[in-house]
Amino acid sequence: MTQEAFKPAESPDAAPRRQLIGLSRDELGRELAALGEAPARASLRAKQLWHWLYHKGADDFDSMTTLAKELRVRLSKHCSIARPEIVREQRSKDGTRKWLLRFADGCEVEVVYIPEDDRGALCISSQVGCTLTCSFCHTGTQRLVRDLTAGEIIAQLLVARDRLGEWPRATEGRLITNIVVMGMGEPLLNFPNVAAALKLAMDKEGIGISRRRITLSTSGIVPMIERCGRELGVNLAVSLHAVNDELRDQLVPINKKYPIAELIEACRRYPGAHNARRITFEYVMLKGLNDAPDDARALARLLRGLPAKINLIPFNSWPGAPFECSARARIAAFADLLNAEGYTATVREPRGRDILAACGQLKSASERTRAHRRPPTATGAEAPP
Ligand code: SAH
Ligand code: SF4
């Protein structure tokens, strides 16, 4: 895993400072050994340092009073725990908050906090942009794409906790109780870094968000699904959006590689999925394309026998989007049909629309150019340019 500095920090002797955020305890131990700590002491110091980073939320070495002054000086000289820069902070009238973060190389990601009555979810990004170009998704129109490091992924949670004043609060009364990996990017195409970051978030001695409160959303990277369940055991959400390959090929082009039947089969084998912990199938409601009563019935048939629930997402528009959202009544009728078939189908309340924080609206301010693409039409054929 590559680890980069979030800020172009340089140590006094001009070597770039090593970014420590995102490292496991063992990796921290190795860094401390490289700084000259005796091996026997390095692992204890690593534990202390880790506690400062992920329990207390320290953002400078000087405050780490359980470490010897001389070690703190060495750490400040050669290492960094700087957060990414907060370029912009926005607050929606519904309480949703959005931060635009900038990393060392100028790449930016958005992080969204969504408060609800009894809990709050932080929506984090796994990549800058996304390679997968789903035709209804704003992120997919961004040309600039790279994986985020584990440090850059966990830093999104650290910044949000800084801004919400959550350090060192344990679990009681917290604002961020859940994590959804539903921001920019396809998490299963950057799995090692996503996994390392989520393991840090789950660690009981630090932030301690249980895997049951973490949901990872994938467009359907079939070969990685089983590993995700085995290694992380988090809740799985699958961006289905269509019930036949012809339409799904157009909406979610990765379907050409991993078609619906293979995706459903991988879901059947997802470790840890059962009736008390169902897989969420996300289904974006696109007017005239996938919102007919017959589509709802076909969806019920497709998911038969799976521990599944369905989340209908009203399409969130963005400038130049080639789709329209289905009418409210049409969405409600779709949900009713699924409920009558015995499924739990909920309609996702769009949050933070006024600050473009809703699903699929995230996109770095640095990258507003829209890639040229032809929208699919209601008949499934390509629209004329
Ligand atoms: N890449 C992952 C996770 C990020 S997208 C995935 O595709 O699952 C999170 C969810 O928002 C996905 O279900 C995605 O299909 C949906 N989404 C994307 N653009 C949207 C839009 N404009 N309106 C509504 N939902 C959208
Ligand atoms: Fe990528 Fe998900 Fe957007 Fe598709 S919906 S382009 S997979 S972020």
Side-chain angles (χ1 to χ4, degrees):
M1 168 191 335
T2 57
Q3 199 69 35
E4 296 161 30
F6 302 150
K7 284 187 176 166
E10 298 230 321
S11 61
D13 52 17
R17 287 196 178 100
R18 179 93 167 113
Q19 174 56 253
L20 300 187
I21 292 175
L23 301 186
S24 66
R25 284 185 196 75
D26 287 349
E27 289 167 331
L28 281 181
R30 286 196 283 278
E31 289 299 322
L32 288 164
L35 283 184
E37 284 295 289
R41 288 237 306 267
S43 110
L44 173 66
R45 297 285 169 261
K47 279 199 184 113
Q48 290 173 312
L49 181 53
W50 196 96
H51 186 80
W52 280 104
L53 293 176
Y54 300 109
H55 179 73
K56 299 218 194 276
D59 60 2
D60 71 283
F61 292 113
D62 224 33
S63 62
M64 301 182 176
T65 46
T66 54
L67 300 180
K69 178 98 181 99
E70 171 277 327
L71 175 59
R72 284 183 263 154
V73 171
R74 250 184 302 156
L75 281 166
S76 313
K77 201 167 157 198
H78 300 288
C79 303
S80 167
I81 51 171
R83 312 289 208 236
E85 182 188 344
I86 301 176
V87 180
R88 195 179 57 223
E89 183 168 40
Q90 285 171 283
R91 209 183 278 238
S92 158
K93 46 183 190 280
D94 70 12
T96 301
R97 291 172 72 162
K98 184 169 91 166
W99 297 279
L100 177 67
L101 304 184
R102 184 179 295 152
F103 300 111
D105 62 355
C107 278
E108 296 172 343
V109 296
E110 289 176 319
V111 189
V112 180
Y113 171 66
I114 307 141
E116 283 174 33
D117 289 346
D118 55 343
R119 60 201 196 137
L122 191 71
C123 179
I124 60 172
S125 297
S126 55
Q127 297 180 308
V128 174
C130 186
T131 48
L132 295 186
T133 63
C134 299
S135 46
F136 52 88
C137 175
H138 204 196
T139 302
T141 66
Q142 186 167 323
R143 280 175 307 146
L144 188 66
V145 180
R146 75 161 171 87
D147 285 342
L148 292 175
T149 64
E152 288 167 337
I153 297 168
I154 193 71
Q156 299 169 50
L157 179 57
L158 303 189
V159 168
R161 293 198 86 204
D162 292 346
R163 303 302 299 160
L164 295 170
E166 291 255 72
W167 301 109
R169 197 168 299 156
T171 38
E172 198 71 6
R174 270 197 194 169
L175 296 173
I176 301 171
T177 57
N178 292 58
I179 296 175
V180 292
V181 190
M182 294 187 183
M184 289 165 63
E186 169 47 56
L188 294 190
L189 288 181
N190 184 21
F191 186 72
N193 290 340
V194 169
L198 291 182
K199 283 176 190 166
L200 287 171
M202 289 191 264
D203 197 303
K204 287 192 182 68
E205 287 167 37
I207 299 165
I209 296 180
S210 143
R211 63 193 168 84
R212 292 171 192 284
R213 291 179 169 273
I214 299 178
T215 302
L216 181 147
S217 173
T218 180
S219 58
I221 310 300
V222 166
M224 295 303 296
I225 288 178
E226 202 259 342
R227 184 170 164 202
C228 174
R230 194 167 20 90
E231 208 170 309
L232 297 176
V234 294
N235 302 314
L236 185 69
V238 172
S239 297
L240 189 62
H241 306 318
V243 287
N244 62 69
D245 285 324
E246 195 191 346
L247 180 59
R248 195 166 190 270
D249 281 352
Q250 294 183 55
L251 297 177
V252 187
I254 194 69
N255 192 68
K256 292 180 197 150
K257 195 161 176 192
Y258 307 118
I260 293 175
E262 287 179 27
L263 177 57
I264 296 294
E265 189 47 37
C267 291
R268 272 187 215 291
R269 292 196 309 263
Y270 189 67
H274 48 76
N275 269 336
R277 266 191 99 201
R278 286 170 291 174
I279 296 174
T280 302
F281 288 87
E282 296 161 290
Y283 194 95
V284 64
M285 298 300 293
L286 302 169
K287 186 176 187 170
L289 270 182
N290 65 356
D291 61 352
D294 272 351
D295 293 316
R297 289 185 202 103
L299 179 57
R301 277 197 302 277
L302 184 66
L303 302 181
R304 191 67 66 214
L306 264 169
K309 56 185 171 184
I310 299 142
N311 197 209
L312 303 176
I313 317 177
F315 170 63
N316 288 307
S317 203
W318 33 271
F323 301 102
E324 279 180 69
C325 181
S326 311
R328 268 202 170 272
R330 186 96 165 159
I331 300 176
F334 201 95
D336 287 348
L337 265 166
L338 290 168
N339 288 324
E341 295 273 356
Y343 291 94
T344 305
T346 48
V347 181
R348 190 179 293 178
E349 179 83 16
R351 299 293 302 267
R353 263 187 174 172
D354 53 334
I355 55 169
L356 277 185
C359 295
Q361 293 183 313
L362 302 187
K363 189 171 181 182
S364 310
S366 56
E367 258 289 345
R368 294 287 181 202
T369 332
R370 232 168 59 73
H372 174 73
R373 68 156 54 103
R374 290 173 174 193
T377 62
T379 57
E382 291 241 294

